[in-house]
Structure formats: C-alpha cells, structure tokens
Amino acid sequence: MSKIKLLMGASALVAAGVSMAGTASAVTQVYGGGGTLIAPYLRQAEDCYGNPVLLVFKDSTQLHNPTTQSVAAFNYAPPPPKAPLNCATTHVDTNTTLNYIGTGSGAGIGGLYSHSAVNFWGDTVPGMNPSPYPTVNYATSDNGLAATDVTIYNLGGTEQGASVKGVNNPGGVYPNPQATYGNLIQYPLLIAPVAFGYSPVYKKVLGADGTTVTSYSFNVKKPRADHSGGLVVDAGTYCKIFNGQITNWNDPALKALNSNTSLRATTDPTPEGTPTTPGTWEYTGAGGGVPMQIVGRSDNSGTTSIFYRHLANVCASLAGNNYTTPGTALPPALYGAVWDKVTGNYTGTETLGKFTRTGGNDGVAKYLAFSAVPTTIGTAGQLVQGRLGYVGPDYVLPAVTFTGANTYGLNSTNIQRVDSGTGKIYSIPPTAKNALLAFGTGYLPPQSTSTGAYSAGVTANGLRANPQDWVQPPSASSPLANPSAIAAYPVVGTTNYLGYTCYSDAAVTASLIGFLKFYETSGVTTDATYGLIGKAGFSPLPKAWLTAIQQTFLVPVTATKPLNLNILQAGTGPASGTGSQCNAVTVGG
C-alpha cells in the first residue's frame, strides 16, 4: 500500500484515509453513478486517486446489460515547478476504489434520492446478472436541482421516478433522504459546453475495384486551423434545425452563414444545378442535397437539460417552437426512432425533422459517425448520410481525450453571435476557454450570509446553505441559458456533484473526503491547460469556486462551519449548533 503527497504550490495535499506505508488494510469501495458527460474524466480522476477500474455505462433502455469502457490512465505532465503525476503508475490512495456507472443524469438523481442502486442504476458488472452496487454514496448530474427539487429531498415527493417519504408524501416508497442520510450537497464539478457534432463526410462511393472507397466531405470555406470544423450556425438556424423545420444540409440559411458557398464538396460529381433541378445537390426538395437527421438522447440526460434550457431561451419567438419547459428529456413532439447503441437495432422509424435518440453521449457520438461503407459498386450503391446532434465536447475534435474511445472523427460547428451594440460578429467553437467566458467574471459562488460582497460592487449568487444556489436551474431564464458575454459559447452548463452530509462507514467518509479534496486542489483536475478536464474540452471551475467548495463542504472555516454542510459520520456531533447535522442521523450513506 502506498501514500503520496501532491505538492500544490506552497501547500501539500495529503490524502485522507490512507493507511501508513507497509500496513495492509481492506480496500474501501465507494459507489457513484449519474451523468455520462463527465463519466470518462471522473473515471480518470478517480483512477488517479484510487485503484483503477473499468468505467461502466448502463444500457439506455433498461437496467440490465451494461457496457464497459477501459479508460486510459491520465499522465499529468505540466512544466516545472508544477508537480507531475503519472496515474498509470502512481495513485494517491491504494486503499480506496471509487466505482462509477454512467446512467444519465436523471437516473443519477433518482439513485441518490432513493438510495437504491438496484432500482435506478441496475446491473453494474457485465456478465454477472444481476450484480448491482450495494449502496449509493454519491451521484453526478448536468441537470441542476432547483429549490423544488431540494424540497422533495427534505420533505418528500417524487424526483426522477423516486418516490421518497416525508410530510409532503407520507406514502412514499423510499426513506426520507434528509432524515436518513443528512443534508443534500450539490455543487459544480466542471463547466461544460455542449457541442453540435457532425461527421465531416456526407457521402461514400465504392469504386469499380470493389475496394476503394471515395469519401466526400462538406465544403467548409473557413475551417479551423486544426481542421476540427468551422461550419457556422446561428440561433435562427439551429432553432429551425432542432425543431425539425430545416431538414437538409443544402438549406439556403446554412449557405448564407457559410460564405454564401455551397456545402457540396468541390470534387463531388453530383451537379450543383439550380433549386429547380431535381436530383442536383443544390435542390431543396426531395431527391437533392443531403438530408439532415437530428440526433439526441433517449435517456433522462443532463446534457439534454443544458441543450433544452438554451433552446427554450433562444427559440422562444420561433413559430412552432417545441422547447418550452426545460427538462432532462427532449420534447415528445420531436421523438423519432430509438437506436440501441449496443445492438445497432432501431425501435420505430427514423424520420426527418424528428430526433433519432440513443443512450449516452457515447451513443450519440457513435451514431453521428459515418462508419458505414457502401457494398455496391458505383453511384448506385453510394451512401449518403448527414447527421447533426448535441454531444459533449470530448467526442468531437479538437478536444484531446485520453479515454482511448474518441475514434469517431466528428467535427463541431461554430455558433455565430452578433453584438447588438457594435455589430461585431463572433464565430465561437465549443472550447473550454469559451465555456469559461459564459461562466462570467461576475458569477461568483454563493455567500455564507445574506449580507456582504466578495468584491466591490459584485455580490455572490444566493446563500451557501441553499443547495439550489450552487448551480443554475433548468430554466430558460437562467443566466447560463443564454450567456450575456457575447464572445462566450452559449450552449453551456455545469456537471454537478450530488452527495449526502452523513455517512455511516468511517472508511467511506474518509475516502470520499480524500477524493473530493484531491479533485478540488490537484492540478490533475484544476489545471486548465495540462489537466484532464481542460484537455477533454471542459473548463475547470474558477479559483473562487474551488475555494468556496473546499471551505463549505470539505474543510469548513469559521464562516461556514455553522452551515452544517461538511461531510461527517452519521450519529456524531452535538445535539444542536455547529456540527450537529449528523447527530440524529443513524443510518447514513
């Protein structure tokens, strides 16, 4: 067994719960589940801290038959004086294993509220049916819990299918989570842009030799320097695309945004013709151009929540807009076929103008990719495919991933925004830097009391004692629904940690606190340039947020100790006052 220290500037992080070198002890197992947006990178961070294990994804349509993904170890190699950490060979606490199953944010929330892994996260080890996690220690979600959700946690009700007991729901199925596991903890883990991903290839033709395949790619006049995309859309265009009103890649609106040039490859032998010539690439009716199939999530998804929240804001004035009440599922009016990412089978019929849906960001990426090859020689057997969907930035170029799974070759669009005051046009890719701009310099963490400010003229957002004040809700009026910073990437949200304050197992308490301290302080996760989060296209939180999280939930200071939000043992502490949050809680997580 080993213990290491990670030097963080002048201070050092010593992992909690680590046995002394040379002393054997049982490995502590910690269990979590939820969002798939963060899943590969949370797995990498957890493997840096504890013992590496496989990342598990639940099937999108049932509790059984999960899939696994071997996530490559992250090698944190910053320039001096920052301390490197190669997670392939070194782990902070080898007495800890943190398990995680990507279920989608909705199931992650349901699992935390119910404390039932078997009913919400399902089988967690392929080939060993059934084999659910024995408990729920934490969850993640891209869908922020609002005040009404926190009330259900405290007083009972139904949340993401979990009917919990309380004064508002005495007939609930599951024990009241606040009384049983302590106060709810919710705070952001990273800032996430949601990309509009597509395959740059729209057509493949098998040559006369029966072997050579010629591919034709969209003609993007202003590609990015790294050749990761550059196709431009704006809110007026993608509102119509994702409402099913634009269903072809040769729509005049797309041409107008892209240098008034056809998206047809210059080498494509299909003639451009005129809009009145059926069968040509430029024809806007049936038989011409490239049909555009929109792709989204079939599970209750926090990625969908971020996407939906944005469209509910920017598409509100569109006639026929379907995005009215943001949530973790797409508007039912836009449901098309469901594609099973494991079997490749369809349920229902794929329909232009409606979403083909599948489970997880990995499933969306897999479906967007042009992996099929033609089997008939010549143009009679050509394959034409043009899919556009919303997905995490890690599944599209230019984000550099270390999961070993980003082999889809997907590009992402730029989103055009215009400054109404100056008329300046911004063409914005879904990068970590542009996502951080959306967070804004004035968007500070909540404060400890109802008075005061963090800096002159800038007051924090809400109170730290309110879990809902740490994140932006799934509301069209949320500041993150359409960020005011005009140069910011506008489809953005946060992936959030969800947990309890009271745990019955002392080893779990120590391991969980140790990992969360590591996540909030180590360059492995907080270094925007060399860390695993930044390299995957996400943004770490600003320093003010990292400090506030540590001082509120992990190492409370004088101002935050009375809030009773730090993690403690169930059944400990005084009967009232500071540290009393777990006194009457005898079960714990």
Side-chain angles (χ1 to χ4, degrees):
M1 303 300 173
S2 66
K3 178 172 71 174
I4 67 170
K5 292 182 179 180
L6 296 179
L7 296 179
M8 313 304 296
S11 64
L13 165 65
V14 182
V18 183
S19 65
M20 294 301 292
T23 303
S25 63
V27 174
T28 300
Q29 303 288 334
V30 180
Y31 299 97
T36 64
L37 194 68
I38 194 177
Y41 316 104
L42 185 61
R43 179 71 273 144
Q44 286 184 311
E46 291 178 339
D47 289 350
C48 282
Y49 183 79
N51 301 306
V53 294
L54 292 174
L55 172 62
V56 185
F57 286 107
K58 188 192 76 169
D59 179 79
S60 62
T61 57
Q62 58 183 347
L63 289 172
H64 309 302
N65 303 319
T67 58
T68 59
Q69 178 178 314
S70 179
V71 179
F74 184 76
N75 181 16
Y76 178 55
K82 295 180 179 179
L85 178 64
N86 185 349
C87 301
T89 57
T90 308
H91 308 278
V92 177
D93 182 2
T94 55
N95 291 333
T96 293
T97 299
L98 296 119
N99 304 277
Y100 187 81
I101 179 169
T103 63
S105 295
I109 295 168
L112 189 88
Y113 273 62
S114 67
H115 203 75
S116 175
V118 64
N119 289 332
F120 286 85
W121 297 352
D123 302 336
T124 54
V125 181
M128 297 175 64
N129 185 19
S131 56
Y133 287 164
T135 190
V136 172
N137 298 131
Y138 72 96
T140 72
S141 172
D142 313 312
N143 183 53
L145 296 175
T148 53
D149 305 302
V150 177
T151 298
I152 292 172
Y153 181 94
N154 294 336
L155 301 178
T158 299
E159 182 74 29
Q160 294 291 343
S163 175
V164 298
K165 295 180 181 179
V167 296
N168 291 348
N169 188 33
V173 175
Y174 301 102
N176 179 266
Q178 185 187 45
T180 314
Y181 311 110
N183 296 328
L184 174 67
I185 292 176
Q186 175 180 230
Y187 63 76
L189 290 168
L190 56 76
I191 306 168
V194 173
F196 298 158
Y198 66 97
S199 172
V201 176
Y202 67 83
K203 183 167 72 172
K204 294 180 179 180
V205 178
L206 183 62
D209 60 1
T211 302
T212 304
V213 176
T214 301
S215 297
Y216 298 91
S217 298
F218 291 115
N219 178 33
V220 178
K221 278 295 183 182
K222 295 182 179 179
R224 298 183 194 137
D226 57 7
H227 305 289
S228 64
L231 180 75
V232 178
V233 294
D234 64 3
T237 303
Y238 61 75
C239 280
K240 290 182 179 179
I241 290 172
F242 293 121
N243 271 287
Q245 297 172 4
I246 289 178
T247 59
N248 206 295
W249 288 86
N250 66 354
D251 191 273
L254 279 174
K255 182 175 181 179
L257 286 167
N258 290 275
S259 304
N260 284 313
T261 302
S262 170
L263 293 179
R264 168 188 169 275
T266 56
T267 57
D268 190 341
T270 304
E272 289 195 25
T274 66
T276 59
T277 307
T280 62
W281 211 90
E282 288 292 331
Y283 180 60
T284 56
V290 177
M292 180 184 289
Q293 181 63 55
I294 51 177
V295 184
R297 295 281 290 275
S298 60
D299 45 356
N300 285 328
S301 157
T303 310
T304 298
S305 174
I306 295 171
F307 170 79
Y308 196 144
R309 177 176 67 185
H310 176 69
L311 266 66
N313 181 296
V314 300
C315 306
S317 62
L318 177 70
N321 174 48
N322 289 283
Y323 298 89
T324 55
T325 308
T328 56
L330 289 164
L334 294 171
Y335 285 5
V338 173
W339 181 75
D340 190 309
K341 67 183 180 184
V342 178
T343 66
N345 295 328
Y346 290 88
T347 300
T349 303
E350 191 165 56
T351 305
L352 288 181
K354 295 184 182 295
F355 280 92
T356 295
R357 296 169 295 133
T358 188
N361 281 295
D362 60 315
V364 171
K366 186 176 180 181
Y367 196 71
L368 289 173
F370 201 152
S371 57
V373 293
T375 56
T376 302
I377 293 174
T379 56
Q382 71 183 21
L383 295 179
V384 177
Q385 174 185 303
R387 296 168 179 168
L388 182 72
Y390 61 92
V391 70
D394 50 320
Y395 284 102
V396 298
L397 297 168
V400 179
T401 66
F402 292 83
T403 64
N406 190 8
T407 58
Y408 303 108
L410 302 178
N411 282 358
S412 61
T413 68
N414 286 5
I415 291 180
Q416 179 173 292
R417 304 182 81 192
V418 182
D419 189 322
S420 60
T422 65
K424 184 176 179 179
I425 297 174
Y426 294 85
S427 185
I428 310 165
T431 64
K433 178 181 178 181
N434 294 332
L436 183 60
L437 287 175
F439 219 60
T441 56
Y443 182 34
L444 295 174
Q447 55 191 356
S448 300
T449 64
S450 59
T451 60
Y454 280 92
S455 60
V458 181
T459 303
N461 296 277
L463 299 176
R464 295 191 187 192
N466 299 331
Q468 67 271 16
D469 289 349
W470 284 90
V471 303
Q472 289 294 321
S475 166
S477 60
S478 160
L480 286 184
N482 190 23
S484 58
I486 197 64
Y489 186 77
V491 193
V492 67
T494 58
T495 295
N496 311 306
Y497 172 83
L498 302 173
Y500 311 118
T501 51
C502 304
Y503 291 85
S504 58
D505 188 317
V508 169
T509 305
S511 291
L512 191 57
I513 292 174
F515 170 70
L516 293 174
K517 286 180 180 178
F518 168 80
Y519 187 95
E520 300 301 328
T521 59
S522 171
V524 170
T525 48
T526 63
D527 189 325
T529 302
Y530 299 98
L532 63 89
I533 290 174
K535 282 183 174 290
F538 302 98
S539 174
L541 295 175
K543 185 177 180 180
W545 280 84
L546 296 173
T547 300
I549 290 166
Q550 294 174 65
Q551 293 181 348
T552 304
F553 304 108
L554 304 174
V555 187
V557 294
T558 300
T560 57
K561 284 180 180 178
L563 299 180
N564 290 333
L565 287 173
N566 56 300
I567 300 170
L568 294 173
Q569 289 300 117
T572 63
S576 61
T578 300
S580 63
Q581 65 264 38
C582 297
N583 177 276
V585 177
T586 57
V587 179

